[in-house]
Amino acid sequence: MSNHSDTNSPVKEAFWRFSRKSPGIAKPVNNIHPTRFEKFNGNMIPNRKKEYDSSVIFNHNQFSSSTSTSPYLSTVNSQTQITTTNIDNQPNTNTTSTTTTTTKMTTSSSASNLNTMENSLSHLSLSSSSVNTSVISHSSSSTHLSVSNSPNSLSSSLNSSNGGIDTSQSQQQNNNIQNINSNRIKKFERLLNTGIHVDMESLKTLGWRGIPNRYRPMSWKILLGYLPSNCERRDEHLERKRKEYRDGLPQYYTSDEKRGESDRRTLKQIQMDVPRTNPNVPFFQQPLIQDILERILYLWGIRHPSTGYVQGINDLATPFIWVFLSEYIEDVANCQVDQIDPNILAMVEADSYWCLTKLLDGIQDHYTFAQPGIQRMLASLKGLLEKINNSLCAHLADQDAQFITFAFRWMNCLLMREIPFPLVIRMWDTYLSEKEGFSVFHVYVCAAFLVLWSDELKQRDFPDIMIFLQKPPTQNWEERDIESLFSTAFYYRSLYEEAQSHLKSNNINLNNNIIKK
């Protein structure tokens, strides 16, 4: 597997490697049972085919879900969650931690089973997490505990164990978590506020795992290229761009009598879309926020006549408003916007406009005539699914469930209507840290998202498939679910990126030959 220098994922070649003697067979590093994976119709599946769906490549529900037991742990009477994270945020360092809940086991048998697990288990899933951080605690029995970032979830997990863990150990784990979070915040502090220039590669590497709330506004602006990496020029640049936006509003956002027919149609469409934007988030139903969103969208549409305003762009502007307001307001979700200083709102509006412009500059062909960028992403998604889970792809074809009917919105709105809004913010941390995150990496995320519901979809006919995919059951998702989704997406990208590039180059050569003839 080639070294993907263009990705900033902390997961590098250390996890998956390919045997030169057995091309195409992926073997986890340090796996003591490498023969448990074999090639079957292009898919990597366990040898015990009868126990698993032969179309599965990487099923988090079976192999790495926190709610299920890995098939490799059948000899241990416990539920085990295997998670890999990087405590010191170095991309090539792997830490394995295990959470074990023992049921009616003696102390001696518990220690024996845990030692067996430590000696036999290998890396089963990968997590690019900024929130779910693993902590290694060495006891007399070498017990490894995976600790969630939430103290409440930690306490409930520990209390549920019949074996029991004393309060002092629980407190120590909480202290370790706080130290890890504190160290991570210090890294962002040093990176963004010390020195003359910000190291962009270091920022992308840290940002891939998620960005702390207090540093997210500045990090997004730098990653998008709105703020310069030179620390000394930031204030001057912000003042100039905000003034430019403020001076341009009277020129473009005029009275209705001065607008042409095309501008009136654009404004009317925007005024229809704004109230329907994020209807489940009360913050975006406040009149002042809707006015800000309307001005941003209208001004962008007028200044970009080749594209104009297109439905879906309204969704893309909302994360910027939310994140940039969080720089001044601690609790954005519950704030009353009419009580906020108008000068703050004006700065948030200007910054949101310029960052939306930067984002759309990179994916502008998604919104031009016939939307070729989205068509290309849909074709890539279908090609990926044929390789990853051919049985699901065949079932969708049998039910005449065309990809454009359900995945068009995934590409147009970047899954913002399928994922809870707070988790969308976390997703954008990674997208902004990836090269072509909103266009290329997003396709792999959509493939992982679709395969996640494979078992449910195969049991449904066309109407139920459409209903399910338009409103998937993600309302109770947490950040760890996004981490798992990104882990699978990165895995798919590692396997199939070269294959996709090869197909693309072949298509280009074929088109050139046709033109010459």
Side-chain angles (χ1 to χ4, degrees), residues 95-155:
T95 304
T96 303
S97 61
T98 307
T99 301
T100 307
T101 304
T102 310
T103 306
K104 297 181 180 180
M105 297 175 62
T106 63
T107 304
S108 60
S109 63
S110 174
S112 175
N113 285 333
L114 287 169
N115 289 330
T116 301
M117 286 159 51
E118 291 172 359
N119 294 330
S120 63
L121 292 178
S122 64
H123 194 92
L124 291 182
S125 73
L126 40 108
S127 175
S128 308
S129 175
S130 63
V131 177
N132 297 335
T133 308
S134 299
V135 179
I136 299 180
S137 174
H138 296 283
S139 64
S140 59
S141 60
S142 300
T143 304
H144 288 193
L145 296 173
S146 174
V147 182
S148 169
N149 194 40
S150 170
N152 294 332
S153 62
L154 170 66
S155 301

Side-chain angles (χ1 to χ4, degrees), residues 283-284 289 292-293 296 317-325 348 352:
F283 171 77
F284 292 106
I289 294 299
I292 289 174
L293 184 57
I296 290 173
T318 55
F320 295 122
I321 298 175
W322 180 286
V323 169
F324 296 157
L325 187 58
V348 169
S352 300

Side-chain angles (χ1 to χ4, degrees), residues 1-7 11-14 16-18 20 490 493-499 501:
M1 185 172 68
S2 62
N3 183 19
H4 301 287
S5 60
D6 59 316
T7 182
V11 187
K12 300 292 185 181
E13 292 186 3
W16 287 101
R17 64 186 176 192
F18 289 85
R20 295 183 181 276
F490 181 84
R493 177 172 179 166
S494 300
L495 285 181
Y496 299 113
E497 184 176 36
E498 291 184 1
S501 300

Side-chain angles (χ1 to χ4, degrees), residues 176-201:
N176 287 336
I177 293 170
Q178 293 176 1
N179 291 336
I180 292 170
N181 291 337
S182 176
N183 290 336
R184 182 170 179 77
I185 290 174
K186 288 179 181 177
K187 288 188 176 184
F188 273 94
E189 172 71 24
R190 289 196 300 268
L191 185 63
L192 296 175
N193 296 327
T194 60
I196 299 177
H197 292 277
V198 174
D199 186 343
M200 292 297 294
E201 291 304 315

